[in-house]
Amino acid sequence: MYKDLISIEKNNTDVQAINNSIKNILLTRRGSVPGIPRFGSELHTLIFSQLDSLTETVAKSMVLSALTEFEDRINVKSINLKQVPEYNRLIIEITYTYRDNFNNIETT
């Protein structure tokens, strides 16, 4: 299980730490972290892929799978993709809720 830490005794649960964790998970190639071979995502395999509905479906699946496995502080509400064809780019927007002092907080 991957967690950002404030100290050895307490986990950091604020939104900035969670956003950093999400970036770390999605931008790390699966298999590149010694001792945690499943950590990361396979998003790098989509580089130079055709921008179509299949690529979008695969990207959403990869994001959801990685976050479900490695970021248990959040519940993913939606994953929206925006195509930028002139740069062959997909922009991924993730909306999630997290629990902070017994309150559910939604963020993007």
Side-chain angles (χ1 to χ4, degrees):
M1 182 60 54
Y2 174 78
K3 299 246 186 216
D4 284 337
L5 297 175
I6 292 174
S7 69
I8 294 174
E9 295 85 28
K10 184 177 177 187
N11 287 330
N12 191 355
T13 58
D14 75 341
V15 72
Q16 185 176 12
I18 292 171
N19 287 341
N20 286 337
S21 174
I22 289 170
K23 286 179 190 174
N24 287 338
I25 292 165
L26 296 180
L27 296 177
T28 300
R29 289 179 181 229
R30 188 164 277 191
S32 66
V33 177
I36 314 172
R38 291 205 34 83
F39 181 79
S41 76
E42 297 286 340
L43 283 175
H44 68 277
T45 62
L46 298 179
I47 295 175
F48 304 116
S49 294
Q50 185 78 11
L51 289 181
D52 57 18
S53 61
L54 177 61
T55 301
E56 287 188 6
T57 301
V58 170
K60 283 182 180 181
S61 176
M62 288 177 174
V63 168
L64 184 59
S65 173
L67 294 181
T68 300
E69 185 171 357
F70 293 106
E71 188 48 83
D72 63 351
R73 296 176 288 184
I74 67 171
N75 291 318
V76 176
K77 294 300 221 178
S78 67
I79 301 169
N80 297 311
L81 300 173
K82 178 183 174 190
Q83 291 186 10
V84 184
E86 55 271 12
Y87 297 108
N88 196 38
R89 176 182 292 178
L90 280 176
I91 297 174
I92 301 171
E93 182 180 275
I94 303 162
T95 303
Y96 63 86
T97 58
Y98 72 97
R99 198 164 194 67
D100 181 40
N101 296 328
F102 305 104
N103 297 313
N104 284 327
I105 299 170
E106 185 167 321
T107 189
T108 302

